[in-house]
Amino acid sequence: MSVGLIMATIVKAPNAVPYHERNTKSIFLAGSIDMGNAVDWQTRASEMLAPYDVVVLNPRRDDWDSGWVQDISNPQFKEQVTWELDHLEACDLIVMYFDPAGAAPISLLELGLFGIPENERIVVCCPEGYWRRGNVQIVCDRYNIQLLDDIDELLAYMDRWCMENA
């Protein structure tokens, strides 16, 4: 009997997500993108998650155009935001990284939307140097959200989560 190789399914916005087709856990890589200017931590996380039977939801869109008008009337922009909200609501784990080199205002919004009511399925990484680290620390403390200090801790957390859940 041969054993098949397990591989993560990496899905970038705005592509359709196949996780409803099988009983597979899903991880949303929320956090710093800053119009493509933040460090691409999502690729590093996706590579680490590759051996697991999980669906990795990456909002970092390959064809993102920073010139798009950020308004509900813009179909590409609306598609992006809707994709993110749909999959933040549906995923099993939200992983949120705040890059000290950027502002990540949308990530702060998402922390408020998804961290408070569903704190057991979110983990936050906010290294020293992030401009609103104190706010993130206080929100995580108040609502009992797992808070990590660096990207290596976050990757290790995801690895453990996959070993226990995927």
Side-chain angles (χ1 to χ4, degrees):
M1 177 168 86
S2 68
V3 176
L5 183 62
I6 297 172
M7 293 295 291
T9 301
I10 312 297
V11 181
K12 287 188 166 185
N15 295 304
V17 178
Y19 62 89
H20 296 295
E21 298 171 9
R22 62 185 205 264
N23 188 20
T24 301
K25 298 292 183 180
S26 57
I27 300 172
F28 192 102
L29 304 179
S32 296
I33 296 177
D34 286 316
M35 306 288 279
N37 295 321
V39 64
D40 185 2
W41 69 275
Q42 293 92 347
T43 295
R44 185 174 172 199
S46 296
E47 290 169 356
M48 188 279 300
L49 294 167
Y52 294 105
D53 185 19
V54 294
V55 174
V56 179
L57 303 161
N58 183 351
R60 190 180 284 263
R61 187 173 176 150
D62 289 331
D63 65 346
W64 178 259
D65 181 347
S66 60
W68 286 342
V69 174
Q70 294 193 16
D71 188 88
I72 195 169
S73 66
N74 179 325
Q76 292 94 353
F77 179 71
K78 184 177 180 184
E79 174 186 53
Q80 177 72 26
V81 174
T82 300
W83 186 93
E84 291 180 26
L85 292 172
D86 286 348
H87 299 302
L88 281 162
E89 290 172 358
C91 71
D92 296 295
L93 177 66
I94 299 170
V95 176
M96 188 167 290
Y97 175 71
F98 290 93
D99 184 345
I106 303 308
S107 300
L108 290 170
L109 173 67
E110 292 167 347
L111 176 59
L113 283 171
F114 296 98
I116 295 169
E118 304 176 47
N119 59 6
E120 293 181 8
R121 68 179 193 102
I122 188 168
V123 59
V124 174
C125 179
C126 190
E128 284 190 39
Y130 179 68
W131 74 297
R132 292 291 185 238
R133 185 169 192 253
N135 294 84
V136 173
Q137 288 174 312
I138 292 166
V139 167
C140 289
D141 182 62
R142 173 167 280 197
Y143 296 101
N144 198 31
I145 298 167
Q146 177 78 38
L147 178 63
L148 305 171
D149 293 321
D150 67 55
I151 191 75
D152 291 327
E153 284 182 277
L154 184 62
L155 294 172
Y157 180 95
M158 286 188 283
D159 189 48
R160 284 190 309 276
W161 187 88
C162 286
M163 284 191 272
E164 295 169 5
N165 295 283

